[in-house]
Amino acid sequence: MIIKKDQEIIKSYFEDVSNLKGGHATEVVFPENAGELSVILKEASAKKTPVTISGGGTSTTGSRIPFGGIVVSMEKMNRIHDISEGSMTAKVQAGVTVDSLKDACDKKGLFYTSHPTERSAFVGGTVATNASGSRSFKYGPTRVWVKRLKMILSSGETLDLGRGERTLTRKDPVVKLDNGREIRITLPTYSMPGTKSSAGYFAKDGMDLIDLFIGQEGTLSVITDIELGLVRKPEDIFSCFVFFKKEEDSWEFADEARRISEADPGKGALSIEYFSGNALGILKAKNANVPAGAMGAIFFEEEIRPGYELAAADRWLKVISRHNASSEDTWVAMNEKEAKDFTELRHMIPESVNEIVKQIGYQKFSTDIAVPEDRFLEIMRFYKETFDKGGIDNVMFGHIGECHVHTNLLPRSEEELARSREMVIALIKKGVSMGGTVSAEHGIGKTKHKYLEIMYGPQGVLEMARLKKAIDPACILGLDNIFPRELLKCA
Ligand SMILES: Cc1cc2nc3c(=O)[nH]c(=O)nc-3n(C[C@H](O)[C@H](O)[C@H](O)COP(=O)(O)OP(=O)(O)OC[C@H]3O[C@@H](n4cnc5c(N)ncnc54)[C@H](O)[C@@H]3O)c2cc1C
């Protein structure tokens, strides 16, 4: 097992794309198997040394940044055990990147549906954050595809959990470990929103126990092995960029595209993604063909059978024209290369925003709110009003098909920073009042504690801390993720 202590070498583990500063740890440990990991955790528990688990380091919330103790990097546990066409499953170690999993599936004509647009994320990281991505519109978030998890708790004991094997009820909330030891927990009492959500622990009466460990942000266990469900690779993907002169038209197009897709999934979209006028400004700097004067765009994909491109184009153009755009405002990918260019263009937005934030040097304020479908147009109008009044640089993009758009405020001074903070709180309160979530996919990490409290109240957050302490009594795993460590009241 490699252990690195040279601060110059390990300092990259004290960063992610949140721009959160001040991370520190004494060493980074690279276990190569579950046995080594178990020893590390047992020792850390005995000495009460905090342990932060690091995946690909692509979190936007500071969740893999350590504030004390040691870092456990999963990068050496990167074996793909098996990809089975028969059972349509992949069995992998947690340190496999999304990129390598997707490539390996591709070679077998299979498709891993749920992934963040950032392919350098580790599969373990995506499970720990319940990540989703553009194609979650059709296929749902990571949670839906997790069939089995092998994990190690902070005590060094193991937990092997298959979906459907154990139910957790309020009456009998017991986590039974592989060695037979039982941990009694108390299930939090909050009600989760009806939207997709990665905000705090999944908790409801009668839930599958495996769901507690998906989206736990490295606070309950270290995930070592994962079994995931796969689908057959689509024969062909029809993809389109549609540019609108008025942003409201782009929102209404997205609303109709979603309704059509839900009514007939066979002919529905695979993804429906949004770019605000400012996001298009960023794209224009990279691609001169982006039409001048476009105030919003929607990128969407549909799985089709080869030869059905024209039929799909015809069907979608009718919808596009109902929302004041035309074939001249529409790019259609004519081959695989163009389709790939489109997805790369989509990916360029969050990357470019992160680059801009680094250049400006101030923290960005972003939201990850999703709201119920019937409140979608209302929240879009609220975002626009708030940003128009605020006058701070902003960019919006994301998974509009799931009523989930990332808003990003890019302050350039201390005064703008303070105002951005207030504006984001106003957006969060609005989203929550509509029955939405404060985090649809990125998690809470270390930067969004306040938002979680707005959603579940201080009592809900306290209940999460109590649950964590029951499973990690030494209070070493993922400290300050989801809630501040002080709530644990550990010695
Ligand atoms: C350009 C860009 C685009 C993005 N787009 C999306 C998107 O579309 N959808 C989306 O959901 N996210 C997106 N993200 C965010 C990010 O990619 C996801 O949150 C991803 O799941 C993080 O995975 P990671 O391996 O990088 O985890 P890390 O950042 O290393 O860690 C994230 C959390 O998971 C925990 N963790 C990691 N591995 C384990 C393990 N084996 N066991 C237990 N806990 C573990 C860590 O402790 C930490 O709490 C994007 C990020 C970037 C930079």
Side-chain angles (χ1 to χ4, degrees), residues 237-294:
I237 292 181
F238 171 80
S239 52
C240 251
F241 249 103
V242 193
F243 297 91
F244 297 86
K245 294 193 179 65
K246 284 196 201 148
E247 49 211 331
E248 190 103 8
D249 287 335
S250 66
W251 308 338
E252 282 176 1
F253 168 76
D255 200 37
E256 186 173 354
R258 190 194 66 243
R259 281 187 279 110
I260 292 172
S261 305
E262 284 170 352
D264 184 0
K267 285 188 191 151
L270 174 60
S271 62
I272 308 175
E273 297 282 300
Y274 174 61
F275 303 85
S276 67
N278 291 343
L280 292 176
I282 293 177
L283 282 190
K284 195 156 176 57
K286 316 248 173 190
N287 183 324
N289 296 326
V290 171

Tab-separated table of all heavy atoms in Angstrom, residues 237-294:
chain	number	residue	atom	x	y	z
A	237	ILE	N	-28.512	7.394	-32.007
A	237	ILE	CA	-29.045	8.505	-31.199
A	237	ILE	C	-29.230	9.715	-32.106
A	237	ILE	O	-28.310	10.125	-32.816
A	237	ILE	CB	-28.119	8.838	-30.014
A	237	ILE	CG1	-28.131	7.674	-29.012
A	237	ILE	CG2	-28.563	10.117	-29.312
A	237	ILE	CD1	-27.292	7.863	-27.771
A	238	PHE	N	-30.457	10.222	-32.103
A	238	PHE	CA	-30.772	11.437	-32.863
A	238	PHE	C	-30.547	12.606	-31.910
A	238	PHE	O	-31.088	12.619	-30.801
A	238	PHE	CB	-32.245	11.351	-33.285
A	238	PHE	CG	-32.794	12.596	-33.892
A	238	PHE	CD1	-32.535	12.899	-35.222
A	238	PHE	CD2	-33.577	13.471	-33.141
A	238	PHE	CE1	-33.053	14.058	-35.789
A	238	PHE	CE2	-34.079	14.624	-33.695
A	238	PHE	CZ	-33.817	14.914	-35.028
A	239	SER	N	-29.705	13.578	-32.300
A	239	SER	CA	-29.497	14.693	-31.366
A	239	SER	C	-29.578	16.047	-32.067
A	239	SER	O	-29.209	16.176	-33.233
A	239	SER	CB	-28.176	14.544	-30.605
A	239	SER	OG	-27.116	14.333	-31.477
A	240	CYS	N	-30.063	17.000	-31.335
A	240	CYS	CA	-30.413	18.314	-31.900
A	240	CYS	C	-30.079	19.439	-30.932
A	240	CYS	O	-30.245	19.267	-29.717
A	240	CYS	CB	-31.928	18.349	-31.983
A	240	CYS	SG	-32.645	18.277	-33.554
A	241	PHE	N	-29.660	20.565	-31.458
A	241	PHE	CA	-29.535	21.820	-30.703
A	241	PHE	C	-30.555	22.783	-31.298
A	241	PHE	O	-30.526	23.015	-32.508
A	241	PHE	CB	-28.147	22.427	-30.950
A	241	PHE	CG	-27.246	22.388	-29.764
A	241	PHE	CD1	-26.227	21.445	-29.682
A	241	PHE	CD2	-27.401	23.297	-28.742
A	241	PHE	CE1	-25.377	21.405	-28.593
A	241	PHE	CE2	-26.545	23.267	-27.645
A	241	PHE	CZ	-25.539	22.317	-27.567
A	242	VAL	N	-31.424	23.343	-30.500
A	242	VAL	CA	-32.391	24.314	-31.031
A	242	VAL	C	-32.146	25.649	-30.338
A	242	VAL	O	-32.073	25.715	-29.101
A	242	VAL	CB	-33.845	23.887	-30.733
A	242	VAL	CG1	-34.808	24.736	-31.558
A	242	VAL	CG2	-34.057	22.423	-30.998
A	243	PHE	N	-32.022	26.701	-31.137
A	243	PHE	CA	-31.748	28.037	-30.585
A	243	PHE	C	-33.021	28.887	-30.642
A	243	PHE	O	-33.727	28.875	-31.656
A	243	PHE	CB	-30.626	28.707	-31.385
A	243	PHE	CG	-29.331	27.953	-31.281
A	243	PHE	CD1	-29.005	26.961	-32.209
A	243	PHE	CD2	-28.457	28.200	-30.236
A	243	PHE	CE1	-27.818	26.245	-32.099
A	243	PHE	CE2	-27.272	27.489	-30.118
A	243	PHE	CZ	-26.952	26.512	-31.056
A	244	PHE	N	-33.280	29.625	-29.582
A	244	PHE	CA	-34.504	30.433	-29.479
A	244	PHE	C	-34.128	31.899	-29.274
A	244	PHE	O	-33.159	32.203	-28.568
A	244	PHE	CB	-35.347	29.962	-28.283
A	244	PHE	CG	-35.836	28.542	-28.417
A	244	PHE	CD1	-35.022	27.483	-28.013
A	244	PHE	CD2	-37.089	28.256	-28.949
A	244	PHE	CE1	-35.455	26.176	-28.123
A	244	PHE	CE2	-37.527	26.936	-29.062
A	244	PHE	CZ	-36.710	25.894	-28.649
A	245	LYS	N	-34.960	32.779	-29.866
A	245	LYS	CA	-34.660	34.217	-29.709
A	245	LYS	C	-35.159	34.740	-28.366
A	245	LYS	O	-34.723	35.764	-27.885
A	245	LYS	CB	-35.288	34.996	-30.861
A	245	LYS	CG	-34.624	34.625	-32.188
A	245	LYS	CD	-34.956	35.553	-33.330
A	245	LYS	CE	-34.241	35.126	-34.594
A	245	LYS	NZ	-34.685	33.787	-35.099
A	246	LYS	N	-36.177	34.036	-27.810
A	246	LYS	CA	-36.678	34.462	-26.486
A	246	LYS	C	-36.482	33.299	-25.524
A	246	LYS	O	-36.852	32.161	-25.833
A	246	LYS	CB	-38.177	34.750	-26.554
A	246	LYS	CG	-38.539	36.038	-27.199
A	246	LYS	CD	-39.981	36.331	-26.817
A	246	LYS	CE	-40.606	37.295	-27.763
A	246	LYS	NZ	-42.033	37.033	-27.923
A	247	GLU	N	-35.961	33.600	-24.321
A	247	GLU	CA	-35.699	32.488	-23.395
A	247	GLU	C	-36.970	31.751	-22.991
A	247	GLU	O	-36.986	30.531	-22.866
A	247	GLU	CB	-34.912	32.965	-22.166
A	247	GLU	CG	-35.469	34.178	-21.510
A	247	GLU	CD	-34.371	35.036	-20.856
A	247	GLU	OE1	-33.339	34.515	-20.438
A	247	GLU	OE2	-34.610	36.240	-20.778
A	248	GLU	N	-38.074	32.544	-22.833
A	248	GLU	CA	-39.348	31.916	-22.437
A	248	GLU	C	-39.758	30.822	-23.445
A	248	GLU	O	-40.305	29.793	-23.069
A	248	GLU	CB	-40.419	33.011	-22.343
A	248	GLU	CG	-41.715	32.577	-21.732
A	248	GLU	CD	-41.908	33.048	-20.268
A	248	GLU	OE1	-41.101	33.841	-19.750
A	248	GLU	OE2	-42.875	32.593	-19.674
A	249	ASP	N	-39.469	31.067	-24.739
A	249	ASP	CA	-39.809	30.042	-25.752
A	249	ASP	C	-39.026	28.754	-25.500
A	249	ASP	O	-39.543	27.649	-25.677
A	249	ASP	CB	-39.511	30.554	-27.168
A	249	ASP	CG	-40.522	31.604	-27.622
A	249	ASP	OD1	-41.651	31.584	-27.089
A	249	ASP	OD2	-40.179	32.443	-28.485
A	250	SER	N	-37.766	28.906	-25.110
A	250	SER	CA	-36.959	27.691	-24.881
A	250	SER	C	-37.504	26.904	-23.683
A	250	SER	O	-37.557	25.682	-23.700
A	250	SER	CB	-35.478	28.037	-24.687
A	250	SER	OG	-35.283	28.779	-23.509
A	251	TRP	N	-37.965	27.612	-22.642
A	251	TRP	CA	-38.515	26.914	-21.469
A	251	TRP	C	-39.806	26.178	-21.863
A	251	TRP	O	-40.033	25.049	-21.440
A	251	TRP	CB	-38.864	27.895	-20.332
A	251	TRP	CG	-37.746	28.823	-19.941
A	251	TRP	CD1	-36.405	28.636	-20.160
A	251	TRP	CD2	-37.882	30.073	-19.274
A	251	TRP	NE1	-35.708	29.700	-19.666
A	251	TRP	CE2	-36.579	30.598	-19.116
A	251	TRP	CE3	-38.964	30.810	-18.795
A	251	TRP	CZ2	-36.337	31.827	-18.499
A	251	TRP	CZ3	-38.732	32.025	-18.175
A	251	TRP	CH2	-37.426	32.526	-18.036
A	252	GLU	N	-40.642	26.879	-22.669
A	252	GLU	CA	-41.920	26.262	-23.024
A	252	GLU	C	-41.714	25.078	-23.964
A	252	GLU	O	-42.433	24.081	-23.892
A	252	GLU	CB	-42.868	27.312	-23.597
A	252	GLU	CG	-43.421	28.105	-22.426
A	252	GLU	CD	-44.311	29.252	-22.782
A	252	GLU	OE1	-44.548	29.454	-23.991
A	252	GLU	OE2	-44.748	29.954	-21.846
A	253	PHE	N	-40.697	25.178	-24.816
A	253	PHE	CA	-40.373	24.028	-25.671
A	253	PHE	C	-39.963	22.837	-24.779
A	253	PHE	O	-40.425	21.703	-24.965
A	253	PHE	CB	-39.242	24.373	-26.652
A	253	PHE	CG	-38.689	23.157	-27.346
A	253	PHE	CD1	-39.396	22.551	-28.382
A	253	PHE	CD2	-37.487	22.587	-26.938
A	253	PHE	CE1	-38.905	21.399	-28.996
A	253	PHE	CE2	-36.993	21.439	-27.539
A	253	PHE	CZ	-37.708	20.845	-28.576
A	254	ALA	N	-39.111	23.124	-23.800
A	254	ALA	CA	-38.638	22.042	-22.908
A	254	ALA	C	-39.816	21.411	-22.167
A	254	ALA	O	-39.891	20.193	-22.006
A	254	ALA	CB	-37.616	22.591	-21.908
A	255	ASP	N	-40.744	22.266	-21.742
A	255	ASP	CA	-41.923	21.776	-21.007
A	255	ASP	C	-42.735	20.821	-21.895
A	255	ASP	O	-43.126	19.732	-21.464
A	255	ASP	CB	-42.765	23.005	-20.627
A	255	ASP	CG	-43.727	22.716	-19.487
A	255	ASP	OD1	-43.330	21.956	-18.589
A	255	ASP	OD2	-44.853	23.237	-19.515
A	256	GLU	N	-42.930	21.219	-23.145
A	256	GLU	CA	-43.709	20.355	-24.051
A	256	GLU	C	-42.923	19.082	-24.392
A	256	GLU	O	-43.477	17.979	-24.418
A	256	GLU	CB	-44.084	21.094	-25.345
A	256	GLU	CG	-45.008	20.202	-26.153
A	256	GLU	CD	-45.616	20.827	-27.408
A	256	GLU	OE1	-45.433	22.045	-27.642
A	256	GLU	OE2	-46.247	20.064	-28.159
A	257	ALA	N	-41.613	19.237	-24.624
A	257	ALA	CA	-40.783	18.057	-24.953
A	257	ALA	C	-40.857	17.040	-23.818
A	257	ALA	O	-40.937	15.830	-24.037
A	257	ALA	CB	-39.345	18.485	-25.201
A	258	ARG	N	-40.862	17.544	-22.574
A	258	ARG	CA	-40.937	16.626	-21.435
A	258	ARG	C	-42.279	15.906	-21.405
A	258	ARG	O	-42.351	14.688	-21.253
A	258	ARG	CB	-40.743	17.404	-20.130
A	258	ARG	CG	-40.576	16.490	-18.933
A	258	ARG	CD	-40.711	17.201	-17.606
A	258	ARG	NE	-42.051	17.689	-17.406
A	258	ARG	CZ	-42.375	18.966	-17.295
A	258	ARG	NH1	-41.452	19.898	-17.347
A	258	ARG	NH2	-43.626	19.340	-17.132
A	259	ARG	N	-43.362	16.680	-21.620
A	259	ARG	CA	-44.686	16.065	-21.545
A	259	ARG	C	-44.869	15.011	-22.641
A	259	ARG	O	-45.373	13.916	-22.404
A	259	ARG	CB	-45.774	17.142	-21.584
A	259	ARG	CG	-45.905	17.790	-20.198
A	259	ARG	CD	-47.045	18.757	-20.050
A	259	ARG	NE	-46.724	20.068	-20.593
A	259	ARG	CZ	-47.250	20.588	-21.696
A	259	ARG	NH1	-48.127	19.909	-22.408
A	259	ARG	NH2	-46.905	21.791	-22.111
A	260	ILE	N	-44.404	15.353	-23.853
A	260	ILE	CA	-44.513	14.404	-24.971
A	260	ILE	C	-43.742	13.123	-24.639
A	260	ILE	O	-44.196	12.016	-24.875
A	260	ILE	CB	-43.903	15.014	-26.263
A	260	ILE	CG1	-44.746	16.170	-26.759
A	260	ILE	CG2	-43.719	13.973	-27.347
A	260	ILE	CD1	-44.088	16.929	-27.902
A	261	SER	N	-42.559	13.303	-24.086
A	261	SER	CA	-41.685	12.157	-23.801
A	261	SER	C	-42.282	11.272	-22.722
A	261	SER	O	-42.188	10.047	-22.783
A	261	SER	CB	-40.302	12.636	-23.357
A	261	SER	OG	-39.772	13.501	-24.325
A	262	GLU	N	-42.896	11.913	-21.710
A	262	GLU	CA	-43.487	11.104	-20.638
A	262	GLU	C	-44.706	10.339	-21.152
A	262	GLU	O	-44.966	9.213	-20.742
A	262	GLU	CB	-43.878	12.008	-19.458
A	262	GLU	CG	-42.643	12.409	-18.662
A	262	GLU	CD	-42.908	13.497	-17.628
A	262	GLU	OE1	-44.027	14.077	-17.611
A	262	GLU	OE2	-41.986	13.784	-16.847
A	263	ALA	N	-45.426	10.960	-22.090
A	263	ALA	CA	-46.636	10.317	-22.606
A	263	ALA	C	-46.289	9.121	-23.497
A	263	ALA	O	-47.018	8.142	-23.541
A	263	ALA	CB	-47.464	11.344	-23.386
A	264	ASP	N	-45.172	9.180	-24.210
A	264	ASP	CA	-44.804	8.097	-25.130
A	264	ASP	C	-43.284	7.884	-25.079
A	264	ASP	O	-42.553	8.317	-25.975
A	264	ASP	CB	-45.251	8.475	-26.555
A	264	ASP	CG	-44.981	7.347	-27.543
A	264	ASP	OD1	-44.451	6.287	-27.116
A	264	ASP	OD2	-45.290	7.519	-28.735
A	265	PRO	N	-42.798	7.208	-24.009
A	265	PRO	CA	-41.335	7.065	-23.846
A	265	PRO	C	-40.670	6.419	-25.057
A	265	PRO	O	-39.509	6.679	-25.344
A	265	PRO	CB	-41.198	6.176	-22.600
A	265	PRO	CG	-42.487	6.295	-21.880
A	265	PRO	CD	-43.538	6.573	-22.911
A	266	GLY	N	-41.416	5.603	-25.804
A	266	GLY	CA	-40.853	4.952	-27.006
A	266	GLY	C	-40.346	5.973	-28.011
A	266	GLY	O	-39.373	5.722	-28.726
A	267	LYS	N	-41.038	7.119	-28.085
A	267	LYS	CA	-40.615	8.165	-29.026
A	267	LYS	C	-40.132	9.397	-28.269
A	267	LYS	O	-40.081	10.495	-28.812
A	267	LYS	CB	-41.789	8.552	-29.918
A	267	LYS	CG	-42.098	7.526	-30.983
A	267	LYS	CD	-43.148	8.093	-31.921
A	267	LYS	CE	-43.673	7.013	-32.840
A	267	LYS	NZ	-45.053	7.254	-33.257
A	268	GLY	N	-39.836	9.219	-26.997
A	268	GLY	CA	-39.495	10.382	-26.180
A	268	GLY	C	-38.009	10.669	-26.161
A	268	GLY	O	-37.197	9.916	-26.698
A	269	ALA	N	-37.681	11.765	-25.502
A	269	ALA	CA	-36.273	12.194	-25.447
A	269	ALA	C	-35.478	11.351	-24.450
A	269	ALA	O	-36.018	10.818	-23.488
A	269	ALA	CB	-36.206	13.660	-25.050
A	270	LEU	N	-34.181	11.257	-24.732
A	270	LEU	CA	-33.235	10.608	-23.832
A	270	LEU	C	-32.729	11.662	-22.846
A	270	LEU	O	-32.532	11.403	-21.664
A	270	LEU	CB	-32.092	10.067	-24.695
A	270	LEU	CG	-30.864	9.438	-24.076
A	270	LEU	CD1	-31.258	8.226	-23.253
A	270	LEU	CD2	-29.893	9.014	-25.185
A	271	SER	N	-32.502	12.867	-23.356
A	271	SER	CA	-32.054	13.973	-22.508
A	271	SER	C	-32.673	15.266	-23.039
A	271	SER	O	-32.945	15.367	-24.245
A	271	SER	CB	-30.532	14.086	-22.537
A	271	SER	OG	-30.103	14.374	-23.838
A	272	ILE	N	-32.899	16.214	-22.126
A	272	ILE	CA	-33.355	17.564	-22.540
A	272	ILE	C	-32.555	18.548	-21.696
A	272	ILE	O	-32.737	18.628	-20.472
A	272	ILE	CB	-34.871	17.766	-22.298
A	272	ILE	CG1	-35.695	16.635	-22.930
A	272	ILE	CG2	-35.317	19.121	-22.854
A	272	ILE	CD1	-37.197	16.715	-22.631
A	273	GLU	N	-31.671	19.288	-22.314
A	273	GLU	CA	-30.708	20.131	-21.607
A	273	GLU	C	-30.855	21.598	-22.009
A	273	GLU	O	-31.138	21.898	-23.176
A	273	GLU	CB	-29.286	19.670	-21.933
A	273	GLU	CG	-28.997	18.260	-21.466
A	273	GLU	CD	-28.731	18.175	-19.982
A	273	GLU	OE1	-27.784	18.810	-19.514
A	273	GLU	OE2	-29.483	17.476	-19.301
A	274	TYR	N	-30.577	22.488	-21.082
A	274	TYR	CA	-30.826	23.927	-21.287
A	274	TYR	C	-29.547	24.745	-21.271
A	274	TYR	O	-28.606	24.428	-20.530
A	274	TYR	CB	-31.734	24.402	-20.149
A	274	TYR	CG	-31.971	25.898	-20.119
A	274	TYR	CD1	-32.589	26.547	-21.189
A	274	TYR	CD2	-31.595	26.652	-19.011
A	274	TYR	CE1	-32.821	27.924	-21.140
A	274	TYR	CE2	-31.827	28.022	-18.955
A	274	TYR	CZ	-32.438	28.647	-20.029
A	274	TYR	OH	-32.660	29.994	-19.993
A	275	PHE	N	-29.534	25.819	-22.072
A	275	PHE	CA	-28.453	26.812	-22.035
A	275	PHE	C	-29.094	28.183	-22.031
A	275	PHE	O	-29.870	28.515	-22.944
A	275	PHE	CB	-27.576	26.718	-23.298
A	275	PHE	CG	-26.988	25.363	-23.497
A	275	PHE	CD1	-27.712	24.381	-24.144
A	275	PHE	CD2	-25.726	25.064	-23.030
A	275	PHE	CE1	-27.190	23.120	-24.311
A	275	PHE	CE2	-25.194	23.806	-23.194
A	275	PHE	CZ	-25.923	22.825	-23.838
A	276	SER	N	-28.781	29.004	-21.039
A	276	SER	CA	-29.313	30.374	-21.020
A	276	SER	C	-28.553	31.216	-22.045
A	276	SER	O	-27.531	30.767	-22.594
A	276	SER	CB	-29.129	30.974	-19.618
A	276	SER	OG	-27.743	31.159	-19.352
A	277	GLY	N	-29.032	32.444	-22.280
A	277	GLY	CA	-28.346	33.351	-23.221
A	277	GLY	C	-26.876	33.536	-22.828
A	277	GLY	O	-25.991	33.521	-23.690
A	278	ASN	N	-26.611	33.678	-21.518
A	278	ASN	CA	-25.219	33.870	-21.080
A	278	ASN	C	-24.386	32.617	-21.310
A	278	ASN	O	-23.198	32.703	-21.642
A	278	ASN	CB	-25.160	34.227	-19.591
A	278	ASN	CG	-25.727	35.601	-19.338
A	278	ASN	OD1	-25.876	36.391	-20.258
A	278	ASN	ND2	-26.050	35.890	-18.091
A	279	ALA	N	-25.011	31.452	-21.132
A	279	ALA	CA	-24.277	30.198	-21.394
A	279	ALA	C	-23.928	30.141	-22.887
A	279	ALA	O	-22.825	29.718	-23.269
A	279	ALA	CB	-25.123	28.999	-20.993
A	280	LEU	N	-24.851	30.619	-23.730
A	280	LEU	CA	-24.561	30.611	-25.174
A	280	LEU	C	-23.426	31.581	-25.500
A	280	LEU	O	-22.640	31.342	-26.417
A	280	LEU	CB	-25.816	30.967	-25.966
A	280	LEU	CG	-26.923	29.902	-25.897
A	280	LEU	CD1	-28.168	30.362	-26.635
A	280	LEU	CD2	-26.446	28.570	-26.472
A	281	GLY	N	-23.349	32.681	-24.734
A	281	GLY	CA	-22.231	33.633	-24.907
A	281	GLY	C	-20.895	32.903	-24.709
A	281	GLY	O	-19.938	33.100	-25.458
A	282	ILE	N	-20.849	32.033	-23.694
A	282	ILE	CA	-19.622	31.265	-23.425
A	282	ILE	C	-19.364	30.302	-24.593
A	282	ILE	O	-18.242	30.173	-25.082
A	282	ILE	CB	-19.756	30.482	-22.104
A	282	ILE	CG1	-19.828	31.449	-20.938
A	282	ILE	CG2	-18.612	29.496	-21.917
A	282	ILE	CD1	-20.029	30.791	-19.583
A	283	LEU	N	-20.437	29.658	-25.054
A	283	LEU	CA	-20.263	28.694	-26.163
A	283	LEU	C	-19.802	29.397	-27.433
A	283	LEU	O	-19.019	28.856	-28.208
A	283	LEU	CB	-21.583	27.978	-26.473
A	283	LEU	CG	-22.008	26.854	-25.548
A	283	LEU	CD1	-23.188	26.099	-26.143
A	283	LEU	CD2	-20.860	25.870	-25.320
A	284	LYS	N	-20.293	30.625	-27.635
A	284	LYS	CA	-19.957	31.353	-28.868
A	284	LYS	C	-18.446	31.608	-28.955
A	284	LYS	O	-17.869	31.578	-30.039
A	284	LYS	CB	-20.744	32.661	-28.944
A	284	LYS	CG	-20.719	33.250	-30.345
A	284	LYS	CD	-21.889	34.158	-30.629
A	284	LYS	CE	-21.764	34.786	-32.008
A	284	LYS	NZ	-21.657	33.816	-33.100
A	285	ALA	N	-17.845	31.820	-27.779
A	285	ALA	CA	-16.393	32.041	-27.769
A	285	ALA	C	-15.654	30.785	-28.242
A	285	ALA	O	-14.535	30.856	-28.737
A	285	ALA	CB	-15.954	32.415	-26.364
A	286	LYS	N	-16.290	29.621	-28.120
A	286	LYS	CA	-15.653	28.350	-28.496
A	286	LYS	C	-16.132	27.875	-29.864
A	286	LYS	O	-15.483	27.076	-30.522
A	286	LYS	CB	-15.974	27.251	-27.469
A	286	LYS	CG	-15.874	27.682	-26.037
A	286	LYS	CD	-14.738	27.028	-25.289
A	286	LYS	CE	-14.591	27.644	-23.914
A	286	LYS	NZ	-13.452	27.283	-23.182
A	287	ASN	N	-17.321	28.312	-30.267
A	287	ASN	CA	-17.898	27.841	-31.531
A	287	ASN	C	-18.622	29.013	-32.197
A	287	ASN	O	-19.723	29.393	-31.786
A	287	ASN	CB	-18.873	26.688	-31.247
A	287	ASN	CG	-19.441	26.099	-32.517
A	287	ASN	OD1	-19.695	26.805	-33.491
A	287	ASN	ND2	-19.640	24.794	-32.516
A	288	ALA	N	-17.986	29.559	-33.247
A	288	ALA	CA	-18.489	30.785	-33.881
A	288	ALA	C	-19.854	30.584	-34.533
A	288	ALA	O	-20.548	31.561	-34.856
A	288	ALA	CB	-17.477	31.247	-34.929
A	289	ASN	N	-20.270	29.328	-34.743
A	289	ASN	CA	-21.553	29.096	-35.420
A	289	ASN	C	-22.774	29.300	-34.527
A	289	ASN	O	-23.893	29.296	-35.019
A	289	ASN	CB	-21.606	27.656	-35.962
A	289	ASN	CG	-20.556	27.450	-37.024
A	289	ASN	OD1	-20.258	28.388	-37.780
A	289	ASN	ND2	-19.955	26.271	-37.069
A	290	VAL	N	-22.544	29.448	-33.232
A	290	VAL	CA	-23.696	29.687	-32.344
A	290	VAL	C	-24.373	30.982	-32.807
A	290	VAL	O	-23.722	32.025	-32.910
A	290	VAL	CB	-23.234	29.812	-30.869
A	290	VAL	CG1	-24.361	30.266	-29.966
A	290	VAL	CG2	-22.648	28.474	-30.388
A	291	PRO	N	-25.690	30.929	-33.150
A	291	PRO	CA	-26.330	32.101	-33.749
A	291	PRO	C	-26.298	33.339	-32.839
A	291	PRO	O	-26.572	33.221	-31.642
A	291	PRO	CB	-27.775	31.662	-33.979
A	291	PRO	CG	-27.816	30.200	-33.745
A	291	PRO	CD	-26.602	29.795	-32.986
A	292	ALA	N	-25.971	34.478	-33.449
A	292	ALA	CA	-25.978	35.739	-32.686
A	292	ALA	C	-27.431	36.017	-32.299
A	292	ALA	O	-28.340	35.719	-33.062
A	292	ALA	CB	-25.429	36.851	-33.555
A	293	GLY	N	-27.636	36.564	-31.151
A	293	GLY	CA	-28.992	36.962	-30.729
A	293	GLY	C	-29.794	35.829	-30.114
A	293	GLY	O	-30.923	36.043	-29.683
A	294	ALA	N	-29.240	34.620	-30.064
A	294	ALA	CA	-29.986	33.531	-29.421
A	294	ALA	C	-30.013	33.778	-27.916
A	294	ALA	O	-28.985	34.074	-27.319
A	294	ALA	CB	-29.332	32.189	-29.724
